[in-house]
Amino acid sequence: MKIKYQRLGGDTYIYLNGELDECSASKTREIIDDIISKPLVKNKVIFNFSSVTFMDSTGIGMLIGRYKKLKSKGVPIYIQNPSSEADKILEISGLYKIMPKI
Amino acid sequence: MYNKMSLNFLSLSENEAFARNVIAMFSLSINPTLNEISDVKTAVSEAVTNAIVHGYPDTVGSIDVEAEIQDDILHIIIRDYGVGINNVEEVLEPFYTTKPEEERSGMGFTIMKNFMDKVTVESKINKGTIVKMTKTFKK
């Protein structure tokens, strides 16, 4: 999993590229936590899922964990442009109710 | 058309991608759509992850994956010889997890049931767990 991020107009965009499963989840979690713990992260956090080629429920757990962390700081999460692989699992799990698709 | 395969590997998370990709390749002879391939990969990944994380929580053990094609139907069996499940009905419930502190979503079986046509679970404490899944590919 490759992760990049950029800050645009006060929002933080995090781009995930690769497969999100049990094998990659702990490293992904660590990198994302490093990004979102920065004090500059205070508006929206937008996860771009366009290059997520595989995702299973380990990814759902990872996202819910990040949601809880950011919620305590009052920062909402959005999912941008999910790949069809990611979209189906995000939809079925009901995650879009707490992190809307944009 | 009839075909059959089996695979055995250690319960290491590095083997998840290997297992789901082998099953995806094996099912290519049914001429699946990309969405069907994606569904099968996700379901296999869920079952293999369960075997690794919950079947063998403190050890590395053996996982068997078998697949069978009967015309346009794919049967998959994922078997571990680990700790087993105390109450199978309970783990089939959405959001049920024994490891919330690890940020487990409890959605594994819900996803398997959504992505496959049929999912059954058999388990015996300290003997292991068998997950059987079936999917019929659309013509």
Side-chain angles (χ1 to χ4, degrees):
Chain A
M1 174 67 76
K2 286 182 189 149
I3 300 160
K4 288 184 194 165
Y5 77 101
Q6 64 174 346
R7 221 165 268 124
L8 277 177
D11 299 331
T12 305
Y13 287 77
I14 301 176
Y15 299 85
L16 305 181
N17 186 326
E19 299 194 317
L20 185 50
D21 64 0
E22 170 64 19
C23 189
S24 63
S26 60
K27 189 75 193 158
T28 301
R29 183 179 290 126
E30 200 179 301
I31 295 170
I32 292 174
D33 279 351
D34 193 46
I35 297 168
I36 64 175
S37 63
K38 295 184 197 306
L40 277 170
V41 175
K42 46 192 169 189
N43 288 356
K44 289 181 268 190
V45 167
I46 295 137
F47 286 100
N48 186 299
F49 267 63
S50 62
S51 299
V52 173
T53 51
F54 177 84
M55 177 176 166
D56 64 20
S57 66
T58 315
I60 297 170
M62 190 280 291
L63 280 171
I64 293 174
R66 308 292 71 67
Y67 168 79
K68 287 180 180 163
K69 280 201 160 186
L70 286 166
K71 199 179 179 216
S72 66
K73 290 169 54 170
V75 176
I77 296 186
Y78 296 87
I79 304 285
Q80 186 180 45
N81 198 16
S83 63
S84 64
E85 290 87 350
D87 189 44
K88 187 167 179 183
I89 198 156
L90 289 164
E91 183 76 54
I92 286 170
S93 63
L95 231 59
Y96 289 140
K97 287 180 200 134
I98 57 171
M99 42 189 88
K101 177 161 65 167
I102 56 168
Chain B
M1 146 105 195
Y2 180 79
N3 198 2
K4 193 175 178 181
M5 59 142 284
S6 67
L7 192 66
N8 174 266
F9 51 88
L10 292 179
S11 63
L12 302 171
S13 67
E14 287 79 1
N15 288 330
E16 290 164 4
F18 166 66
R20 66 181 177 251
N21 287 327
V22 167
I23 300 295
M25 293 299 286
F26 178 72
S27 61
L28 286 182
S29 65
I30 320 179
N31 292 321
T33 64
L34 284 177
N35 283 340
E36 287 169 334
I37 284 276
S38 175
D39 290 353
V40 168
K41 281 173 74 174
T42 307
V44 169
S45 197
E46 297 295 351
V48 171
T49 300
N50 277 348
I52 294 170
V53 173
H54 302 288
Y56 300 107
D58 306 310
T59 52
V60 173
S62 174
I63 297 174
D64 289 326
V65 176
E66 292 164 38
E68 201 176 69
I69 289 170
Q70 282 174 322
D71 297 320
D72 54 353
I73 303 171
L74 175 68
H75 300 279
I76 304 169
I77 299 175
I78 291 151
R79 192 188 311 255
D80 72 61
Y81 305 90
V83 299
I85 300 164
N86 190 29
N87 184 343
V88 169
E89 292 303 312
E90 205 169 50
V91 302
L92 293 174
E93 288 295 313
F95 303 110
Y96 176 83
T97 180
T98 53
K99 294 181 187 288
E101 73 287 355
E102 289 183 16
E103 297 186 344
R104 302 279 165 201
S105 67
M107 290 298 284
F109 280 114
T110 304
I111 285 161
M112 284 182 243
K113 284 193 277 183
N114 257 287
F115 284 29
M116 303 294 282
D117 297 332
K118 194 178 173 203
V119 179
T120 60
V121 187
E122 299 161 31
S123 194
K124 280 206 178 98
I125 291 294
N126 295 324
K127 295 276 182 201
T129 300
I130 303 169
V131 176
K132 294 180 182 172
M133 306 190 280
T134 301
K135 190 175 182 72
T136 302
F137 290 67
K138 306 278 184 294
K139 285 280 183 222

